[in-house]
Amino acid sequence: MQVILNLNEIKKPLTNPVLTIGNFDGVHKGHLALFEKVKERAKAIAGQSVVMTFEPHPLKIMRPADGPQLITHTGQKLELIEKAGIDVIVCVSFDREFAAIPARDFVNNVLVKKIGIKEIVVGYDYTFGHNREGDINLLREIGNDFGFVVHLVGPIEIDHTLVSSTSIRRLVQEGRLAEAKVLLGRDFEVQGTIVKGRNRGGRLLGFPTANLNPHGELLPKKGVYAVKMLIDDALYNGVTNVGVNPTFGDTGLTVETHVLGFAGDLLGKAIKVQFIKRLRDEKAFKSLEELSEQIAQDISQAKEVLREA
């Protein structure tokens, strides 16, 4: 797969490109439906399948106060798009100058002249250009003028729920991981780097924990979770606490995991935590002994959950 991080890197049009364009936060089943159509059409015309996305999310620039907590950070998003089998990703740097480009100019100068699109696949609610002035009808009109075909993919619903980044974000924030998994097509995952914690888990409680500094923004609801942790391409079971450690009177939010069956040093390692099931709320305990007993119960419950996951 080819990743293009600057439009100026494109010196000549791509090979019969079939393109879809969007933010694709979460790379969920709705997005995958677009990608499948792109790949299908690219194969039909002996072309390249192309995804154009943006960094940062346009709302982070245009309406910072409304910018969503992203399900996937940029690196994770590109990784998932590659896994979906796309030939070329164009990741456009989004700023106010780019946002000011009129819809017709964007299609003509970027999509047609620079990328050379032959066909474009968009979702049912697609808008583009300055002030979102471009819609499906305008895109089809421009397509007729410049000789490219527009394909429309309708909304994807699962169990009467619209598959959308907004829906998934809400489910994760509410700790409803099984429902989020259905829409995502995979377990919700947080990537990050292990950093030095307060060394209380092993020293005071008998259960050492790895303290994660997340690369992304979205975290599940505070509580204790059964998880799987990917370390150096090996998958381990674990128990993760997302919260503020109220027993110790802390206030800062942390993501701490007790990894089952791992005895090495994780400090500085880049890892992935897949959240499988929420076990309980975070709560304050009257003593360290009471907390330690609860952690032991959490581990036992997590083993049961993960045995079937």
Side-chain angles (χ1 to χ4, degrees):
M1 185 194 71
Q2 180 183 7
V3 178
I4 298 170
L5 299 177
N6 189 317
L7 290 171
N8 292 327
E9 294 178 29
I10 305 175
K11 303 304 181 184
K12 63 178 182 178
L14 303 177
T15 303
N16 293 336
V18 179
L19 176 141
T20 188
I21 181 170
N23 295 308
F24 304 121
D25 181 34
V27 193
H28 53 61
K29 284 188 175 180
H31 300 144
L32 295 177
L34 290 169
F35 298 166
E36 286 303 311
K37 183 67 175 180
V38 166
K39 291 189 294 181
E40 172 194 312
R41 291 306 309 152
K43 183 177 181 180
I45 64 172
Q48 292 177 291
S49 57
V50 185
V51 168
M52 177 180 283
T53 189
F54 305 101
E55 167 58 28
H57 192 292
L59 278 180
K60 301 280 189 182
I61 301 297
M62 305 309 295
R63 300 203 306 272
D66 298 329
Q69 288 187 312
L70 298 181
I71 302 165
T72 46
H73 63 82
T74 299
Q76 188 179 10
K77 178 170 69 172
L78 299 186
E79 180 183 300
L80 289 166
I81 294 173
E82 178 180 11
K83 189 175 179 181
I86 294 296
D87 295 323
V88 181
I89 300 177
V90 181
C91 189
V92 176
S93 178
F94 191 91
D95 54 24
R96 288 190 172 273
E97 182 180 354
F98 185 86
I101 300 174
R104 186 176 287 270
D105 289 350
F106 168 72
V107 175
N108 182 26
N109 296 330
V110 177
L111 301 188
V112 175
K113 291 183 177 179
K114 185 165 282 289
I115 294 175
I117 64 166
K118 300 300 181 186
E119 302 184 15
I120 185 169
V121 178
V122 294
Y124 66 100
D125 57 351
Y126 179 66
T127 58
F128 63 101
H130 182 57
N131 290 331
R132 295 188 171 188
E133 63 186 357
D135 59 12
I136 303 297
N137 292 329
L138 178 61
L139 188 61
R140 283 179 167 150
E141 178 186 317
I142 299 173
N144 289 334
D145 293 341
F146 290 104
F148 63 83
V149 179
V150 178
H151 301 279
L152 184 66
V153 174
I156 304 297
E157 288 193 3
I158 299 176
D159 296 332
H160 308 293
T161 299
L162 177 68
V163 179
S164 71
S165 300
T166 300
S167 297
I168 293 165
R169 199 173 290 120
R170 174 178 53 81
L171 291 170
V172 170
Q173 289 169 332
E174 293 174 358
R176 296 159 63 185
L177 298 177
E179 294 166 79
K181 180 178 181 177
V182 171
L183 305 189
L184 278 169
R186 64 183 188 282
D187 290 304
F188 173 70
E189 179 180 279
V190 175
Q191 299 184 0
T193 304
I194 300 301
V195 296
K196 188 172 179 58
R198 302 192 183 188
N199 194 31
R200 292 189 298 218
R203 180 169 53 88
L204 298 179
L205 300 171
F207 299 100
T209 58
N211 193 15
L212 182 73
N213 179 25
H215 294 162
E217 301 171 339
L218 183 66
L219 292 173
K221 181 180 180 179
K222 291 178 186 176
V224 178
Y225 294 83
V227 304
K228 290 183 179 291
M229 180 181 275
L230 188 65
I231 305 168
D232 295 333
D233 297 323
L235 203 58
Y236 294 84
N237 292 337
V239 179
T240 295
N241 184 81
V242 178
V244 296
N245 295 309
T247 303
F248 294 97
D250 295 348
T251 55
L253 189 70
T254 61
V255 181
E256 297 181 79
T257 302
H258 175 66
V259 190
L260 305 179
F262 184 88
D265 185 8
L266 291 175
L267 192 63
K269 283 188 177 293
I271 58 90
K272 301 175 181 178
V273 180
Q274 299 166 0
F275 287 80
I276 309 301
K277 184 177 181 179
R278 191 169 192 272
L279 302 180
R280 64 173 175 86
D281 289 336
E282 184 182 48
K283 58 179 284 189
F285 293 88
K286 297 177 182 178
S287 67
L288 295 184
E289 290 76 15
E290 189 178 329
L291 172 57
S292 184
E293 288 174 6
Q294 180 61 60
I295 293 173
Q297 292 177 33
D298 295 337
I299 291 171
S300 178
Q301 186 181 355
K303 286 179 177 177
E304 287 297 317
V305 169
L306 297 169
R307 191 173 291 125
E308 301 173 3

